[in-house]
Amino acid sequence: MTTTKEFVGTLVCIQDYEDRAKEVLPAPVFNFYIDHADEGQTMKDCKKAFKRYRLRPRVLKDVSNRQFSTTVLGHPVSFPICISPTALQGFADIEGDKATARAAESLNTIMIVSHCAFFTFEDISLAAPSATIWFQIHLYKDRNLTRFFIKHAERAGFKAVVVTVDSPIMGNRRNMKRGDETMTARKEYRPRMMNCYDPNNPEVRSAIANGDIALWDYLQEQLVTSETWDGIKWLRSITKLPIVVKGILTGDSAREAIQAGVDAILVSAHGGRQLDGVLATGENGVKKVLEIVRDEFSLTMALTGCSKLDDIKASMVVHESQYLSKF
């Protein structure tokens, strides 16, 4: 019998992990993770986007000692790669978000916890007490729900708020609409999500009383199609935590975000799961994936003649179109 540890040892790149996940996860669970909006054009383009760029290395540089630690919003990280929020991690592993937090802690990088975590913020924080953890939310219709999440995360010691701004409604995810297997898989885990909600909120109590015991339908109803940047200004008024907005793809939106008082912008196409057609932008397993990305980053620095992050110049990365024939 091959152990999980032995399997991890044979997985040497990110694609290996995706292929392995397809083998071991139930089909509806795997389909949930790789789902996309409509035709999947943006999701596919996200994968291809980096392949359109070429590196221009410098040679005969001393790269024997490479340093790539830095800070993100003042928090030190060992390398400039952090973990974006991923909903419903318990599909893949019983420890879910706690395992991911421990992996982030072990490699000294930042994890963003999804609002659809399977565990309370306190549980995740206790699982990785020295990790730097941010949390992701939406601006919900019920402001008391938003406030509850914020205060809950503050008490748990989370260090920043990440607000998803590209989801006034859910995208048209076709895999989730085909058959009922995906929904069946969800129901196995739904009750645990109740840990994240305020039991004293009248709307929460009403949703549970009406049969929505996992609050999944309630959560979808909390997305606000009429939300504006005033919502960010309101959020600024109730918390001193740094505010990051996730889902910015244009310069106009970036300028509006700055005017609204955000501290940082996370450029994101939501993995192609929301609007199709826009431009592309387990614990041991998570740790290994982060190590692979870190080691590939270090290798690329060495082969491009960079010993520290400040050595990386914009001129060293060019689009493939610069090398295409002009004829």
Side-chain angles (χ1 to χ4, degrees):
M1 178 181 293
T2 304
T3 66
T4 300
K5 186 174 182 179
E6 289 170 333
F7 266 123
V8 167
T10 65
L11 308 178
V12 298
C13 67
I14 303 303
Q15 187 60 52
D16 285 350
Y17 275 87
E18 181 173 330
D19 293 341
R20 178 61 182 159
K22 188 173 183 179
E23 292 176 3
V24 300
L25 292 177
V29 171
F30 182 76
N31 287 338
F32 170 77
Y33 287 136
I34 66 165
D35 203 5
H36 53 74
D38 296 304
E39 300 293 332
Q41 175 184 340
T42 296
M43 186 270 291
K44 295 171 185 173
D45 201 40
C46 284
K47 293 185 175 182
K48 296 177 181 177
F50 284 105
K51 295 182 180 180
R52 300 191 188 110
Y53 288 88
R54 302 292 179 263
L55 301 177
R56 302 178 67 245
R58 299 178 301 176
V59 298
L60 293 180
K61 301 291 183 179
D62 183 359
V63 293
S64 57
N65 182 23
R66 297 181 297 285
Q67 301 292 332
F68 38 82
S69 60
T70 185
T71 60
V72 180
L73 288 184
H75 302 293
V77 293
S78 60
F79 59 112
I81 305 293
C82 303
I83 303 174
S84 287
T86 304
L88 307 178
Q89 294 187 24
F91 278 0
D93 184 89
I94 192 66
E95 286 287 278
D97 312 272
K98 294 195 295 185
T100 302
R102 288 193 293 264
E105 179 183 47
S106 68
L107 292 177
N108 190 27
T109 191
I110 294 170
M111 175 193 178
I112 306 175
V113 172
S114 168
H115 70 292
C116 283
F118 276 29
F119 299 95
T120 65
F121 295 151
E122 288 85 358
D123 287 339
I124 297 170
S125 183
L126 287 172
S130 65
T132 300
I133 303 177
W134 299 356
F135 76 104
Q136 174 267 332
I137 60 169
H138 296 263
L139 288 168
Y140 302 108
K141 184 186 303 181
D142 180 0
R143 288 295 197 235
N144 287 328
L145 176 61
T146 306
R147 190 189 301 272
F148 175 76
F149 272 119
I150 294 285
K151 299 308 177 184
H152 200 170
E154 287 177 344
R155 291 194 298 271
F158 288 10
K159 303 301 184 183
V161 184
V162 179
V163 187
T164 295
V165 295
D166 63 356
S167 305
I169 57 177
M170 293 294 290
N172 184 30
R173 301 178 188 177
R174 296 181 180 179
N175 283 344
M176 293 172 65
K177 291 183 175 181
R178 294 187 176 108
D180 62 359
E181 284 189 303
T182 301
M183 297 306 295
T184 300
R186 277 186 185 156
K187 289 176 182 176
E188 296 174 3
Y189 299 97
R190 282 184 179 184
R192 303 184 69 182
M193 293 175 62
M194 289 179 62
N195 294 330
C196 301
Y197 295 89
D198 181 5
N200 298 314
N201 185 316
E203 292 196 13
V204 170
R205 291 202 304 268
S206 176
I208 295 172
N210 290 327
D212 184 19
I213 62 171
L215 302 174
W216 183 259
D217 295 332
Y218 166 70
L219 184 62
Q220 307 312 305
E221 293 168 358
Q222 289 302 313
L223 298 180
V224 186
T225 56
S226 60
E227 192 61 80
T228 69
W229 288 106
D230 287 339
I232 297 295
K233 296 176 183 177
W234 170 81
L235 189 63
R236 178 78 288 163
S237 73
I238 69 167
T239 184
K240 294 181 179 179
L241 291 177
I243 297 175
V244 181
V245 288
K246 174 181 176 291
I248 299 293
L249 286 174
T250 67
D252 289 340
S253 291
R255 284 186 285 271
E256 290 176 325
I258 292 171
Q259 292 170 2
V262 307
D263 297 281
I265 291 168
L266 203 166
V267 177
S268 169
H270 215 117
R273 294 166 73 90
Q274 278 299 103
L275 176 62
D276 200 20
V278 298
L279 295 172
T281 55
E283 181 174 350
N284 287 336
V286 175
K287 181 179 178 181
K288 183 61 178 178
V289 166
L290 287 171
E291 289 174 343
I292 287 173
V293 176
R294 178 199 62 194
D295 293 346
E296 289 181 350
F297 185 80
S298 176
L299 177 66
T300 302
M301 284 184 64
L303 295 178
T304 53
C306 300
S307 60
K308 57 185 183 299
L309 295 181
D310 287 345
D311 291 338
I312 303 174
K313 308 300 181 185
S315 60
M316 299 173 67
V317 183
V318 298
H319 195 270
E320 64 180 5
S321 60
Q322 292 196 25
Y323 292 103
L324 297 178
S325 171
K326 302 300 181 181
F327 299 99

